[in-house]
Amino acid sequence: MKTAIATIFAFLQIVFAAHAQQSFTAHGSTVIYAAPDSSQWNLVNDGIHPKSGGYLLMFEHKPIADAQGRPIKPVIAVICEPVKDSSDVIKYSIAKRLQVPFEVKKMLIPQRGDFTYKNAVGFEGQYDKGVIHKVLIGHMRHKEVGLQIICDSTDGVYDKVDSDMRNFLKSVNFKE
C-alpha cells in the first residue's frame, strides 16, 4: 500500500510540475517559465509588441486593496528582444538600467539562488512616483537574445506578492 501511494504521489508531482512550466519562442530562443498562480494573476499580454518588436509576456495580479483602500494591481513582465552586438549580460544590464532609473537596494545573482539561469544579473530596488514602488528586475542574455524581467508592486501590498515574484524570477530559463 505504501508503494502504491508513493508511486501515485511521484506521478502527481511530475504531472503538476510539467503543467506549471510554460514557454514562448521569440527571436530564435525558447524561454521557459513557471506561470504565477492563475487564480491570482491574469495573463494580459503574450506576443510581439507592435511598436518595439520585442516579445512581451505580462501578468497582472487581481486587485489588492492597500491600507488606503486603493485597488493595486502588481505586475510581472518579461521583455524578450534581439541583441545583435556582442555585449555580455553586464553590459546589457547597464544599458537597460540607464533607461529605467530606480534606487538599487540589493544585487540579485544566480550564486545566491535568485536565478536558475546562470547568465543573469538583477536588482531589488524601489522608486517613488508619489507612491513608493518595490521592484525586482532581472536581465539575462542567451545567444543573440536579451531578456528583461520586471516585477513591480506598490510598497503597501508588496509583501503579498513578493514570493510569487521571486519564484517567477527564479523559474525563467532558456531551452537549449
Side-chain angles (χ1 to χ4, degrees):
M1 181 68 166
K2 286 183 182 178
T3 304
I5 292 172
T7 303
I8 292 170
F9 182 71
F11 174 76
L12 289 174
Q13 282 184 314
I14 291 168
V15 168
F16 286 119
H19 178 70
Q21 195 172 50
Q22 297 183 18
S23 66
F24 66 86
T25 300
H27 309 297
S29 289
T30 300
V31 178
I32 302 166
Y33 63 94
D37 179 2
S38 61
S39 70
Q40 297 300 316
W41 294 87
N42 297 313
L43 179 64
V44 294
N45 201 331
D46 186 8
I48 298 293
H49 191 271
K51 289 183 183 175
S52 71
Y55 194 97
L56 175 62
L57 175 73
M58 189 164 74
F59 298 92
E60 186 177 78
H61 198 281
K62 291 183 178 174
I64 305 170
D66 67 6
Q68 290 77 30
R70 296 175 293 203
I72 306 299
K73 295 180 181 179
V75 171
I76 296 174
V78 176
I79 302 167
C80 182
E81 61 189 348
V83 180
K84 298 215 183 283
D85 65 20
S86 61
S87 68
D88 61 14
V89 71
I90 301 301
K91 290 178 185 173
Y92 177 73
S93 181
I94 290 169
K96 294 302 164 187
R97 281 270 300 116
L98 291 173
Q99 295 174 2
V100 184
F102 60 91
E103 180 185 352
V104 174
K105 298 290 188 178
K106 179 182 173 185
M107 287 278 304
L108 303 175
I109 57 174
Q111 294 82 351
R112 277 193 295 239
D114 298 311
F115 300 97
T116 303
Y117 188 66
K118 300 299 181 206
N119 196 18
V121 65
F123 309 93
E124 183 178 314
Q126 69 180 40
Y127 65 93
D128 188 347
K129 295 227 176 174
V131 175
I132 295 175
H133 283 247
K134 289 191 174 181
V135 293
L136 297 175
I137 306 291
H139 297 124
M140 299 177 176
R141 280 297 310 267
H142 178 75
K143 299 179 182 177
E144 292 187 347
V145 170
L147 189 82
Q148 297 179 75
I149 303 166
I150 302 163
C151 303
D152 188 332
S153 174
T154 61
D155 184 43
V157 301
Y158 182 80
D159 62 324
K160 293 175 174 60
V161 295
D162 176 58
S163 65
D164 288 348
M165 291 177 166
R166 289 182 190 277
N167 288 337
F168 184 86
L169 195 68
K170 191 181 286 190
S171 79
V172 177
N173 212 324
F174 288 89
K175 184 176 182 180
E176 287 298 325

